[in-house]
Amino acid sequence: MLSEHFARKNSLFFLIQWLLLATVIAVLVGSASALFLFSLDWATTTRLQHHWLILLLPFAGFAVGWIYLRLGRSVEAGNNLILEEVHSPANTIPLRMAPLVFIGTVVSHLFGASVGREGTAVQMGASIADRFTPLLGLDNDARRMVLMAGVSAGFSSVFGTPLAGAIFGLEVMAIGRMHYTAIFPCLVAAVVADQVGLMWGVHHTHYAMSSIPAVSAWTLAAVIVAGCCFGLAARVFADATHLVGGMMKKWIAYAPLRPFIGGAVVAAAVYLLHADRYIGLGIPVIVDAFQHPLAPWDFLGKLIFTVASLGSGFKGGEVTPLFYVGATLGNALAPLLHLPFAFLAGLGFVAVFAGAANTPIASTLMAIELFGADIGVYAAMACVVAYLVSGYTSIYRSQRVACLKHSIVPEGIKLAELPAWQRENRRPEAVVEDTKAS
């Protein structure tokens, strides 16, 4: 096995081998992400030029749902499948995950669903990276490193944040624990994938942070208050998405009908409410949140449209919509907390993501990469508070609890299994047993 072979060599040989492997992965994933971003630009531009395409959203959703029903059942779990394979390796991730999620996400954006792009890049990264498992005869430990490197490469190349991408691949796997054995391949893959994207001509959005307040007791207190709001928004987003998805699966047995119905609801709402600002990536609105006051309900509008889109089965990611929710919520809180719009929009941008994905360190690094080092203290405070306030929720239900946040839950439990455990332990007989034991 490859990792056993590594163990018999010195550290320099280990570095050289992983440098080569991570670089190859990064080149492939960075190129795939570049093609994906160019395709998203085309889809968004085409939809804006032909507004009537939104009327076809239900049929587009049905088509994507049908394709996944016929060809993609083994990869339908998406990001959660990747986390499962890292924690409990079983089967190599099918390569079909990459083209299916690529096509599904582009179609979703072309016809007006409110979805993101991170999930697609991460899934492409992991499925491409896992091709090396059978090719090189990787054992489970080496395979985990390869998968995390693929995740880091995908995240980094789609957002242009290599440091955040490297740590995201380590931090997202479990709450409160990182696999430092994979830190070198994740870092190499993230940096190289980002550079490959830039070489292909990818341009990432610039968010202007005009001024950052000096550190003071009031500003820190205000940031903590804002962090609590960001954490609550993250919790509502994650819980609502899982709730809608669960209800759709319970009530509608035929999978392609779920995005058809969800697409019909979203399309009708866009036309009746003139709510175009809440579909697609929403980058222009995010940029506006850094520049001037917006409607205080924008964050709620984006949250509802995204929950409806993702919960009904449209493909894409959650992170860019979370950026939108966070930036517009920060914009709404700015006058209440007497802080600059751009400052709180930037904190919300990363903190809602930190709370929803349980990745406070990666989110803090993202803030520093996007807005500069001066925001580091505030970003860390907002992200950590949001992470704690969001509780044991996540957009990734296959995350494990490796470190307790506050209330006592079994260490190592999967977040998807946590509600059943909580219900079981609320039973009167369980309370009596606990009392007797104490």
Side-chain angles (χ1 to χ4, degrees):
M1 294 299 179
L2 188 57
S3 62
E4 295 174 351
H5 180 63
F6 282 166
R8 293 193 295 268
K9 302 295 182 179
N10 57 39
S11 58
L12 179 60
F13 191 75
F14 175 92
L15 291 176
I16 292 173
Q17 294 233 30
W18 278 109
L19 174 64
L20 294 174
L21 181 54
T23 298
V24 173
I25 292 171
V27 171
L28 295 174
V29 176
S31 299
S33 292
L35 177 61
F36 172 60
L37 291 176
F38 293 143
S39 300
L40 284 189
D41 287 342
W42 168 82
T44 301
T45 302
T46 303
R47 188 188 72 245
L48 293 175
Q49 293 174 345
H50 305 283
H51 193 258
W52 56 267
L53 285 173
I54 299 174
L55 295 174
L56 301 179
L57 182 61
F59 304 99
F62 184 92
V64 172
W66 186 86
I67 291 173
Y68 264 83
L69 180 64
R70 295 295 180 182
L71 303 175
R73 291 188 180 186
S74 61
V75 298
E76 191 173 10
N79 291 341
N80 288 303
L81 173 61
I82 299 168
L83 268 64
E84 288 288 355
E85 288 298 326
V86 169
H87 291 296
S88 303
N91 300 304
T92 304
I93 297 174
L95 184 59
R96 71 181 65 182
M97 172 182 274
L100 284 176
V101 74
F102 184 111
I103 295 170
T105 304
V106 173
V107 169
S108 297
H109 281 279
L110 177 62
F111 293 96
S114 177
V115 294
R117 51 190 173 175
E118 143 276 338
T120 305
V122 165
Q123 290 174 50
M124 289 194 303
S127 61
I128 291 172
D130 212 16
R131 294 306 92 210
F132 292 93
T133 295
L135 182 64
L136 299 178
L138 303 181
D139 67 5
N140 288 341
D141 290 334
R143 185 182 177 221
R144 289 187 182 97
M145 296 169 70
V146 162
L147 286 174
M148 286 188 276
V151 169
S152 293
F155 190 95
S156 168
S157 57
V158 82
F159 292 125
T161 53
L163 291 180
I167 300 303
F168 178 82
L170 300 169
E171 190 178 22
V172 74
M173 300 301 164
I175 296 176
R177 183 184 65 202
M178 289 194 285
H179 294 274
Y180 281 100
T181 52
I183 193 168
F184 180 69
C186 284
L187 181 61
V188 171
V191 172
V192 175
D194 175 53
Q195 291 299 310
V196 168
L198 296 176
M199 289 174 60
W200 281 112
V202 169
H203 297 284
H204 299 289
T205 305
H206 174 70
Y207 303 99
M209 182 72 69
S210 56
S211 63
I212 299 174
V215 176
S216 67
W218 161 250
T219 309
L220 287 174
V223 168
I224 291 174
V225 172
C228 292
C229 297
F230 298 144
L232 289 173
R235 183 167 190 160
V236 170
F237 183 98
D239 287 346
T241 302
H242 298 319
L243 177 63
V244 171
M247 290 191 302
M248 294 290 281
K249 290 178 181 178
K250 180 179 179 180
W251 295 341
I252 304 171
Y254 188 55
L257 280 180
R258 298 168 197 156
F260 180 87
I261 294 172
V265 171
V266 170
V270 169
Y271 269 91
L272 295 175
L273 302 177
H274 304 287
D276 295 78
R277 66 192 288 110
Y278 302 132
I279 61 176
L281 289 174
I283 298 296
V285 179
I286 299 176
V287 172
D288 287 344
F290 285 79
Q291 299 175 350
H292 54 76
L294 300 179
W297 55 81
D298 272 345
F299 79 95
L300 185 59
K302 184 62 173 179
L303 189 151
I304 293 172
F305 273 78
T306 306
V307 166
S309 298
L310 292 174
S312 61
F314 282 94
K315 301 303 175 183
E318 301 92 346
V319 174
T320 304
L322 287 169
F323 292 162
Y324 185 121
V325 171
T328 52
L329 177 56
N331 183 281
L333 292 173
L336 300 177
L337 297 175
H338 304 287
L339 291 172
F341 287 102
F343 175 66
L344 266 191
L347 293 185
F349 184 103
V350 293
V352 174
F353 166 50
N358 292 306
T359 53
I361 300 175
S363 302
T364 300
L365 288 174
M366 173 173 275
I368 294 172
E369 289 183 291
L370 293 176
F371 313 128
D374 290 343
I375 203 172
V377 171
Y378 293 122
M381 184 67 73
C383 289
V384 169
V385 170
Y387 160 79
L388 292 173
V389 171
S390 67
Y392 294 108
T393 58
S394 176
I395 52 178
Y396 309 119
R397 302 198 73 196
S398 289
Q399 277 183 327
R400 264 59 167 184
V401 178
C403 180
L404 302 182
K405 286 191 179 185
H406 32 73
S407 58
I408 303 300
V409 301
E411 290 190 20
I413 191 171
K414 186 168 30 174
L415 292 183
E417 300 169 350
L418 196 54
W421 179 87
Q422 291 171 331
R423 286 192 300 270
E424 180 70 17
N425 283 269
R426 287 196 191 104
R427 293 186 299 110
E429 56 268 31
V431 175
V432 171
E433 291 171 1
D434 289 344
T435 303
K436 289 179 178 179
S438 62

